[in-house]
Each structure stands twice: as structure tokens, then as C-alpha cells.
Amino acid sequence: MTDTPLPAAAGLGTFERWLSVWVALAIGAGLLLGNLVPGVFSALAALEVASVNLPVAVLIWAMVYPMMVGVDFGALRQVGDKPKGLVVTLVVNWLIKPFTMAALGVLFFNYVFAGLIPPDDAQAYLAGVILLGAAPCTAMVFVWSNLTRGDATYTLVQVSVNDVIMVFAFAPIVAFLLGVTDIVVPWDTLLLSVGLYVMLPLLAGYVTRQNLVRKGGEAAVDAFKARVQPFSILGLLITVVLLFGFQGEVILEQPLVIVLIAIPLLIQSYGIFFVAYGAARAWRIPFNVAAPCALIGTSNFFELAVAVAISLFGLGSGAALATVVGVLVEVPVMLSLVAFANRTQHWFPQEKGTT
């Protein structure tokens, strides 16, 4: 298994580095427009088929599809080359993270913030953070891995394995956790969302990747991703504008709600990182595997969480709002953890042998 890091160009670009700023500006635009032209947002909300909002579906596909083109299922052949890091990744992502996120959500929204948030809103925010906790990162982890000089092939393997698991595990885990917290689960809409926003984009990405590789190899794949990436970020920002346009009145009446939602998300992000990072250190996993295996669990597939929240609970729901707050906090949190990992890489073995 090679240990060649991703090229420098795959690092965090200027636009991505300031993603939280662009998201904040999109939030402001959404709040302003939602109050100035509420009729436009009402008309967009009405464009639904089978509980799927069509404008948002197009935007979510614009976000997710470029990521899926980057998934190389051929990497699954190397799944056993570095098993320790993969074990940590899978245990944290699927046996710990969804359940700690749900527990923190219950703690804060049902108890700590009980006097600050109406009960119905609290349940909606809880549903949103559960969706975030059950969706491990599939794309930005390549950036975080590169910034820590992580093993690029290992990173690809862990993302590919997580994507395969997500197809089968996301819906049952979400349904279980929503049921435990007494939130009604519309199974048909949940399964439709997983099919629409995970399985179909994954299939489309696979077909596209195969065609590109036949024509020009990995260079053609990289060039294609570079061309479509702006549409992915634009889709995210327009989705944020729509979500906050629908939430405008509620947020202006309760401006602290964003901070309250962010608190359990911040605790979860840092907590999950240190669980995975500590396990990797205790198991003496080399740093170039330890860093990406800890970072993938910390980062979220927020595009999927946003899409499913909208499908399950609606564009103007508190659940959708909570998933967007996850976007707002993610980039600064991840950059701080990348910096911490780089400063503490001497804690780990540096040899690049099989782990």
C-alpha cells in the first residue's frame, strides 16, 4: 500500500478555508430575503413530489454528485492493508458517534436548554443533530487528510468503506435513534431520501468515474472534479439561503437558537476526535493513518444530513436548521483539529510500514 500524500492542490483552497464566512453570509442573505419576499419562498416550498422538494433536490445533487465521482471502489481491494486505522474509523463512525450525538442532543435540548427552547422545537433540533451524527464525512476528509500529510490511499479506502456501509446502515441507525427519542419516523420518506441522495448519486458517480478513467485515467477524474466543484459549493450556499429564508421569522425572534444548537455539536466534534485520536495513539498507529482515521469521524456528511432533514421534516423545520448550523461550525472546528494533529504528530510512530 503506497503512502504518497495527496498533491498540494488537493489542500484547502481560499474559498474552502473561508467556507464558514460564506455560509454566514448566505445565512444573512436568507434571513433578509425571507422577510423581504416571503412569497417567493412559499412558492419554492410548494414544489414537492413525494415529500421531496424539487429545487432542493437539484441543489443537493449538485453538492453530492462531485463527491461520489471521487469514490474509487477499486480501493476496497486494499481494505486489509492497514486494518488498525480502519477498525478505529468504523468503530467510532458507526458504533460510537451516532449514539453520543443523540445522547448529547437529548441532554442539551431536553434538559439543559429546556427553559430556553419550546419542546416541539427542541425535538426538531434533536432530530437534526441525530442526522448529522449518523453521516460520516465522504469528501472534505480528503482535504483534512492532505493538510496532515495523511496516507492518501488509506484515506480513500476508509471513505469507500464508509460509503458502502452508509448505504445499508444510515437509515436503520437514524430510524432507531429517532424512535428512541420519541420522534415519529416516516420510513418511506427516509428510505426514499437514502436512495435519492446516497445510492443514486453513488451509482451516477461510479458510472461517471469509469467513463472518465477509460478516457484519460485519474487525471481526467481530477479535472472533472475541479470543473464541477464550484457547482457543489454554490449548491450548498443556495440551500443555506433557502433554509434560512424559511426560518427567518423564527430565528429573528430567537437569535440565540444558533448558539444553542452549536454547543452540543462542538462538544461532539471535539469529543469524537479525541476518542479516535486517543485510540490510535494507544494502538501505536502511524501518524499518517491516525490523523485521517480520527478526522473522518469528526467531520460530517452534512450534505446528506441537510437533504434528509428537508425530506423528513420540511424546508422550514428545526431539523433542517440544525443541520445547517453543523455546516457553519464544521470548517473552523476541523481546521483547529488539523493544527492540533500536526503539532502532536510526535506522539505517534512515523514509520510507514503495515499497521
Side-chain angles (χ1 to χ4, degrees):
M1 187 173 186
T2 60
D3 296 296
T4 306
L6 293 172
L12 201 63
T14 301
F15 193 90
E16 289 85 356
R17 186 176 294 113
W18 295 97
L19 180 59
S20 288
V21 174
W22 313 136
V23 170
L25 292 174
I27 288 172
L31 293 174
L32 178 64
L33 293 172
N35 284 276
L36 290 178
V37 287
V40 173
F41 287 86
S42 297
L44 290 172
L47 298 175
E48 284 192 355
V49 175
S51 300
V52 174
N53 182 270
L54 298 181
V56 173
V58 172
L59 294 170
I60 296 296
W61 261 75
M63 284 189 269
V64 175
Y65 171 64
M67 303 173 190
M68 297 308 190
V69 174
V71 176
D72 180 10
F73 289 106
L76 293 175
R77 292 191 296 268
Q78 297 171 305
V79 72
D81 287 3
K82 298 203 170 183
K84 287 185 179 180
L86 197 59
V87 168
V88 172
T89 292
L90 296 181
V91 168
V92 169
N93 280 325
W94 298 107
L95 299 182
I96 297 177
K97 182 182 177 182
F99 305 97
T100 55
M101 187 72 264
L104 284 169
V106 169
L107 173 64
F108 280 93
F109 296 128
N110 289 357
Y111 297 97
V112 178
F113 299 151
L116 302 173
I117 301 175
D120 289 345
D121 291 346
Q123 291 300 96
Y125 302 147
L126 174 57
V129 300
I130 284 174
L131 290 170
L132 281 169
C137 184
T138 66
M140 286 295 281
V141 70
F142 290 108
V143 173
W144 314 131
S145 176
N146 182 59
L147 293 177
T148 58
R149 297 187 180 276
D151 182 330
T153 306
Y154 165 75
T155 304
L156 181 59
V157 168
Q158 70 171 0
V159 168
S160 300
V161 172
N162 268 290
D163 280 343
V164 171
I165 293 174
M166 194 181 308
V167 170
F168 301 100
F170 179 79
I173 288 176
V174 166
F176 171 74
L177 291 175
L178 292 179
V180 166
T181 55
D182 296 325
I183 298 170
V184 176
V185 182
W187 263 99
D188 53 345
T189 306
L190 178 57
L191 293 175
L192 175 63
S193 298
V194 173
L196 186 61
Y197 300 122
V198 180
M199 296 180 69
L200 287 180
L202 198 59
L203 178 60
Y206 173 78
V207 172
T208 302
R209 182 184 183 87
Q210 293 301 105
N211 289 333
L212 290 168
V213 169
R214 278 197 298 270
K215 293 177 181 178
E218 288 298 323
V221 175
D222 293 338
F224 177 83
K225 288 192 295 181
R227 288 196 302 272
V228 298
Q229 183 62 27
F231 296 101
S232 179
I233 296 176
L234 184 62
L236 169 64
L237 295 180
I238 296 175
T239 302
V240 171
V241 171
L242 286 178
L243 290 176
F244 279 83
F246 283 105
Q247 296 281 353
E249 269 185 47
V250 175
I251 295 170
L252 291 178
E253 290 173 2
Q254 305 176 58
L256 283 179
V257 70
I258 304 299
V259 175
L260 297 180
I261 294 171
I263 289 172
L265 292 177
L266 288 169
I267 294 172
Q268 164 80 353
S269 296
Y270 286 109
I272 284 296
F273 173 83
F274 286 111
V275 166
Y277 204 60
R281 185 185 183 191
W283 212 352
R284 296 191 56 78
I285 296 173
F287 178 74
N288 65 341
V289 171
C293 91
L295 291 168
I296 190 174
T298 311
S299 189
N300 296 311
F301 189 1
F302 49 74
E303 294 85 357
L304 173 63
V306 170
V308 177
I310 292 169
S311 296
L312 290 179
F313 304 105
L315 270 167
S317 66
L321 176 63
T323 59
V324 174
V325 175
V327 182
L328 184 64
V329 303
E330 172 147 334
V331 173
V333 166
M334 295 306 297
L335 288 174
S336 70
L337 291 174
V338 163
F340 175 83
N342 284 331
R343 285 196 301 268
T344 57
Q345 59 183 288
H346 60 278
W347 291 357
F348 298 83
Q350 294 299 316
E351 63 269 15
K352 297 180 180 180
T354 302
T355 61

